[in-house]
Amino acid sequence: MLDRLSFPQPWLSLTLFVTWQFLSDGISGGSVVLGIVLAWGIPQLTRGFWPDRPAVIRGWRAPAYALRVLWDIIVASVEVAKLILSPRQPRPMFICYPLELDHPLAISILVSTISLTPGTVGADVSDDNKLILIHSLDAEDEQEVIDTIRARYERPLLEMFR
């Protein structure tokens, strides 16, 4: 019974509460009460989708990772715009990316990061979580794309999740 009254995902609950306060029209008693209800209720409803708690060991590295991804999104957006406006034809390529990550949440974050960055899409993850199929809009060398993703995204995620 006590388990039903707790917050099964405290970070998700905190994020939901703060997000609700930003979205509401000022902080009031009603918005705080509704924020608490949402912060408790949504994790309760989605409890079955969370097989285990996320194992982020070095969570303080997450803001630097988020800033890196945001910067890369901006840079890639400019590069894709230049590619579209130039007369040069893009060189699309499918790439099989070998994973070093083994934590499901870390793999999901990596695939999401790849898909958020303009010019690349994480198309599929193998059933054994060892490969990601990536589509790149413009790539000259498969190994260069692999090395870039490994250095910019996977290694920081390995540091966060191990």
Side-chain angles (χ1 to χ4, degrees), residues 7 18 36 38 46-47 51 53 55 68-70 75 79 98 102 105 107 120-121 131 147 154-157:
F7 291 91
V18 169
I36 291 171
L38 290 172
T46 61
R47 181 182 288 229
R53 288 183 177 236
R68 172 179 288 169
V69 171
L70 183 62
V75 170
E79 289 175 2
D102 55 1
L105 180 61
I107 293 170
T120 56
V121 175
L131 292 172
D147 292 343
E154 190 174 22
R155 291 232 170 85
L157 286 171

Side-chain angles (χ1 to χ4, degrees), residues 3-23 30-47 50 53:
D3 187 41
R4 280 287 188 209
L5 298 175
S6 69
F7 291 91
Q9 299 292 332
W11 289 109
L12 174 61
S13 295
L14 179 64
T15 302
L16 288 168
F17 179 77
V18 169
T19 302
W20 181 255
Q21 295 312 307
F22 278 120
L23 292 174
S31 72
V32 169
V33 169
L34 187 54
I36 291 171
V37 169
L38 290 172
W40 175 82
I42 291 173
Q44 293 294 336
L45 290 172
T46 61
R47 181 182 288 229
W50 297 88
R53 288 183 177 236

Side-chain angles (χ1 to χ4, degrees), residues 70-137:
L70 183 62
W71 175 253
D72 287 351
I73 289 171
I74 293 167
V75 170
S77 296
V78 171
E79 289 175 2
V80 168
K82 282 197 269 187
L83 176 67
I84 299 296
L85 296 173
S86 75
R88 184 177 72 79
Q89 290 294 314
R91 300 165 296 209
M93 179 185 295
F94 278 100
I95 300 160
C96 285
Y97 181 85
L99 281 167
E100 291 179 15
L101 291 169
D102 55 1
H103 193 280
L105 180 61
I107 293 170
S108 295
I109 292 171
L110 179 62
V111 173
S112 297
T113 300
I114 291 168
S115 295
L116 280 171
T117 308
T120 56
V121 175
D124 192 21
V125 179
S126 65
D127 291 337
D128 62 356
N129 288 338
K130 300 290 184 196
L131 292 172
I132 301 174
L133 180 64
I134 299 171
H135 181 267
S136 178
L137 177 65

Side-chain angles (χ1 to χ4, degrees), residues 140-154:
E140 190 171 321
D141 179 31
E142 180 176 338
Q143 191 59 45
E144 179 183 340
V145 174
I146 291 171
D147 292 343
T148 301
I149 291 172
R150 189 165 319 278
R152 293 203 60 79
Y153 306 127
E154 190 174 22

